[in-house]
């Protein structure tokens, strides 16, 4: 009885997981469409628009990667956070205090350093391979 419960609960959670991933992908595609429509409506492309589209692209890539491998690389959300901070800095720099600009720059450097450390760890200290 316990194994049947475990089997069905695992399958149910996987189904919910895939459903939510589908919702995230569809919502991201809608957001991309809205941004492209906005670009055509305004008649020009700003750097902030490109960075926002890049964030959406990274979200789609993260969903695709998760669906393909079943694993979510920690680096992908970090990349999204770096681009989001850069976009925030570009959009609101004129209205920010010097300390806020420095704080965002330091946060970006910390995130970039984290990506480098994670990548170094993957290369130099890989997980041991599990033999079947």
């Amino acid at each position: 009885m316990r194994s049947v419960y475990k089997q069905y609960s695992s399958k149910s959670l996987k189904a919910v997981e895939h459903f939510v991933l589908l919702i995230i992908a569809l919502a991201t595609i809608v957001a991309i469409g809205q941004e492209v429509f906005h670009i055509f409506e305004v008649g020009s492309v700003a750097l902030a628009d490109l960075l926002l589209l890049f964030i959406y692209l990274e979200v789609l890539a993260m969903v695709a990667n998760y669906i393909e491998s079943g694993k979510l690389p920690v680096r992908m959300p970090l990349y999204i956070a770096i681009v989001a901070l850069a976009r925030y800095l570009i959009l609101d720099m004129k209205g920010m205090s010097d300390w806020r600009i420095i704080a965002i720059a330091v946060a970006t450097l910390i995130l970039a350093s984290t990506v480098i450390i994670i990548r170094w760890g993957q290369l130099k200290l890989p997980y041991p391979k599990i033999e079947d």
Side-chain angles (χ1 to χ4, degrees):
M1 180 69 178
R2 185 173 176 103
S3 65
V4 172
Y5 173 75
K6 186 176 179 180
Q7 178 185 0
Y8 284 116
S9 64
S10 177
K11 285 183 180 181
S12 298
L13 288 175
K14 280 289 184 191
V16 170
E17 180 181 328
H18 285 286
F19 179 70
V20 172
L21 284 171
L22 180 65
I23 290 172
I24 292 169
L26 290 174
T28 305
I29 291 168
V30 168
I32 291 170
Q34 289 173 340
E35 185 62 25
V36 169
F37 180 76
H38 170 73
I39 290 170
F40 281 115
E41 192 175 63
V42 172
S44 67
V45 180
L47 182 59
D49 298 327
L50 294 175
L51 289 172
L52 187 58
L53 287 172
F54 185 72
I55 290 171
Y56 293 147
L57 181 65
E58 283 293 320
V59 170
L60 281 178
M62 187 169 55
V63 169
N65 191 332
Y66 188 73
I67 289 171
E68 288 175 11
S69 69
K71 299 175 185 172
L72 180 62
V74 175
R75 290 181 297 157
M76 292 189 87
L78 293 174
Y79 295 145
I80 293 169
I82 290 169
V83 174
L85 284 172
R87 183 178 184 277
Y88 175 60
L89 197 59
I90 290 167
L91 288 178
D92 297 334
M93 187 183 296
K94 290 180 182 177
M96 287 185 193
S97 68
D98 293 343
W99 286 109
R100 180 169 285 206
I101 293 171
I102 291 170
I104 293 170
V106 168
T108 305
L109 283 172
I110 290 170
L111 289 171
S113 300
T114 303
V115 169
I116 291 169
I117 291 168
I118 289 171
R119 186 66 183 135
W120 179 85
Q122 288 175 334
L123 292 174
K124 300 294 183 185
L125 307 167
Y127 287 115
K129 294 187 180 187
I130 300 172
E131 295 182 20
D132 292 330

